């Protein structure tokens, strides 16, 4: 299957993060190479673009897309949470910009075999990195009911989480839940008919929750943002596009902490944290235009936040 992904907030990201065409830039979520390709068109011959992705299919697709670009570029198959070791392996300490697009690629969603989509039937997988031993199948078929309920409630913000977990556990007593279609049917059975009539697809929140658990998507965000800022040159920028409120909350809170000189509790009479601000915000969060949402409905929930190293 050809790797296809519609890049969201493309020009907004590049215009916000690119400050020096001769600099070093890291696309931490390479995907099909949309942001990387646009960035490469604006980099000078001596500029360096580093693309990171844990999905080999994404790296192969980006390699094909960027093969004729004039700037220097290289790709690393790894998880962006290992930023310190990735840059060390490339003998780099400081760079001029980082790009994050935290959405699941259209390719992964649309490829039924990857098991991300509640719209396409396939085996329950949801791994962004095929080397990851934890799959959606393992979670759905082995996690305790309480753990399933907690994950679906926290990561999916699903009001029927407890009931869905109960139905999953009851169903798997008879036989394993093997495919995305099996799981969708269990979820539909768990959610009362009146609640299924309005709003998004009834399985959307549960699928999001399980995907986040498989890939530890939220657990790595704060530390990764702090690591990236430590590797930014002064004046360098970090741009992050989020697609759901949980991610956006973590990014917003982390950036806010890094913007403050003191993070002591407000009731302390003197500062004891000795914390110094490391970034400043580059304006308000950026959202897609109505035109972009019309052309790509998946862009609707996207938010771009950008900070600059001080």
């Amino acid at each position: 299957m050809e790797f296809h992904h519609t890049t969201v907030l493309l020009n907004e990201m590049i215009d916000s993060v690119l400050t020096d065409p001769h600099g070093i830039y890291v696309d931490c979520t390479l995907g099909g190479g949309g942001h990387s390709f646009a960035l490469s068109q604006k980099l000078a011959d001596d500029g360096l673009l580093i693309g990171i992705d844990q999905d080999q299919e994404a790296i192969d697709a980006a390699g094909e897309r960027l093969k004729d670009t004039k700037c220097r570029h290289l790709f690393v198959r790894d998880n962006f949470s290992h930023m310190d070791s990735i840059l060390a392996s490339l003998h780099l300490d400081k760079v001029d910009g980082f790009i994050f697009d935290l959405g699941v690629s259209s390719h992964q969603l649309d490829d039924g075999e990857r098991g991300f989509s509640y719209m396409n039937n396939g085996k329950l997988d949801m791994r962004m990195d095929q080397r990851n031993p934890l799959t959606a199948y393992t979670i759905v078929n082995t996690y305790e009911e309480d753990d399933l309920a907690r994950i679906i409630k926290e990561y999916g913000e699903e009001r029927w989480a407890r009931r869905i977990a109960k139905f999953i556990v009851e169903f798997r007593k008879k036989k394993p839940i093997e495919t995305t279609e099996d799981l969708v049917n269990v979820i539909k059975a768990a959610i009362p008919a009146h609640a299924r009539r309005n709003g998004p697809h009834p399985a959307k929140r549960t699928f999001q929750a399980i995907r986040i658990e498989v890939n530890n998507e939220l657990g790595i965000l704060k530390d990764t943002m702090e690591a990236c800022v430590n590797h930014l040159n002064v004046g360098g920028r970090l741009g992050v596009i989020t697609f759901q409120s949980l991610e956006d909350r973590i990014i917003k809170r982390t950036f806010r902490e890094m913007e403050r000189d003191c993070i002591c509790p407000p009731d302390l009479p003197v500062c004891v944290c000795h914390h110094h601000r490391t970034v400043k915000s580059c304006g308000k969060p950026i959202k897609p235009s109505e035109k972009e949402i019309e052309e790509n409905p998946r862009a609707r929930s996207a938010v771009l936040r950008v900070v600059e190293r001080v």
Side-chain angles (χ1 to χ4, degrees):
M1 180 175 176
E2 187 187 344
F3 200 105
H4 168 73
H5 177 61
T6 307
T7 309
V8 174
L9 292 167
L10 179 63
N11 297 322
E12 292 87 343
M13 173 67 92
I14 306 307
D15 293 345
S16 299
V17 172
L18 179 65
T19 54
D20 176 10
H22 303 279
I24 302 170
Y25 292 85
V26 186
D27 184 345
C28 304
T29 48
L30 183 61
H35 282 117
S36 279
F37 182 78
L39 189 55
S40 73
Q41 300 304 292
K42 299 198 173 186
L43 287 177
D45 293 13
D46 61 344
L48 173 60
L49 173 64
I50 300 160
I52 300 170
D53 207 293
Q54 52 191 350
D55 185 343
Q56 188 60 49
E57 289 179 5
I59 288 177
D60 293 343
E64 187 60 32
R65 191 168 186 181
L66 275 80
K67 67 174 191 270
D68 297 323
T69 54
K70 64 183 189 297
C71 70
R72 298 178 297 147
H73 61 273
L74 56 92
F75 305 125
V76 180
R77 185 181 182 192
D78 207 334
N79 186 295
F80 57 62
S81 63
H82 305 142
M83 192 57 66
D84 291 334
S85 61
I86 291 168
L87 292 179
S89 72
L90 300 173
H91 309 291
L92 292 170
D93 181 38
K94 300 289 185 190
V95 305
D96 299 287
F98 289 99
I99 287 174
F100 286 84
D101 175 346
L102 297 176
V104 182
S105 77
S106 310
H107 169 81
Q108 288 172 333
L109 284 174
D110 296 338
D111 183 356
E113 290 178 17
R114 299 296 295 270
F116 284 97
S117 175
Y118 44 82
M119 304 296 279
N120 297 313
N121 192 29
K123 64 180 191 295
L124 274 174
D125 192 322
M126 301 198 198
R127 292 173 298 172
M128 290 180 184
D129 184 344
Q130 298 291 292
R131 300 167 297 184
N132 179 2
L134 181 64
T135 66
Y137 176 91
T138 311
I139 290 166
V140 169
N141 288 289
T142 68
Y143 274 31
E144 299 285 341
E145 185 177 326
D146 284 350
D147 289 330
L148 282 171
R150 175 185 57 79
I151 290 163
I152 297 167
K153 177 96 171 107
E154 278 182 28
Y155 298 163
E157 300 182 290
E158 171 59 74
R159 61 179 291 214
W160 301 101
R162 173 62 62 187
R163 195 171 150 88
I164 292 166
K166 183 172 185 289
F167 272 60
I168 287 172
V169 171
E170 286 301 314
F171 185 93
R172 74 189 192 197
K173 283 177 186 171
K174 301 191 276 284
K175 72 180 194 74
I177 299 170
E178 294 186 12
T179 66
T180 53
E181 193 177 351
D182 288 345
L183 182 56
V184 167
N185 289 335
V186 174
I187 294 165
K188 281 181 174 175
I191 299 177
H194 68 84
R196 293 201 308 267
R197 283 191 202 107
N198 300 314
H201 190 286
K204 181 179 180 180
R205 294 188 178 96
T206 301
F207 268 65
Q208 171 184 297
I210 294 168
R211 191 199 77 223
I212 288 171
E213 174 71 7
V214 169
N215 300 290
N216 189 25
E217 291 175 35
L218 300 180
I220 57 180
L221 283 182
K222 185 175 190 290
D223 289 348
T224 300
M225 295 304 126
E226 290 171 350
C228 288
V229 166
N230 289 337
H231 289 292
L232 271 179
N233 284 317
V234 172
R237 292 184 172 185
L238 162 62
V240 184
I241 298 172
T242 58
F243 285 84
Q244 38 113 336
S245 57
L246 294 167
E247 284 174 341
D248 191 52
R249 222 171 287 150
I250 293 170
I251 298 301
K252 184 176 172 183
R253 196 183 308 133
T254 304
F255 282 0
R256 198 177 283 159
E257 272 179 26
M258 291 193 282
E259 282 179 71
R260 284 164 55 191
D261 267 331
C262 172
I263 52 172
C264 290
D267 52 347
L268 281 184
V270 291
C271 173
V272 294
C273 70
H274 308 298
H275 181 272
H276 294 288
R277 79 176 187 142
T278 50
V279 300
K280 68 176 183 183
S281 174
C282 299
K284 291 181 175 175
I286 300 169
K287 297 185 176 179
S289 64
E290 285 302 320
K291 183 174 183 290
E292 180 171 6
I293 292 168
E294 200 177 302
E295 290 169 1
N296 178 18
R298 283 176 181 166
R300 183 174 301 282
S301 56
V303 180
L304 167 62
R305 296 180 187 274
V306 184
V307 290
E308 182 178 304
R309 185 76 156 100
V310 295

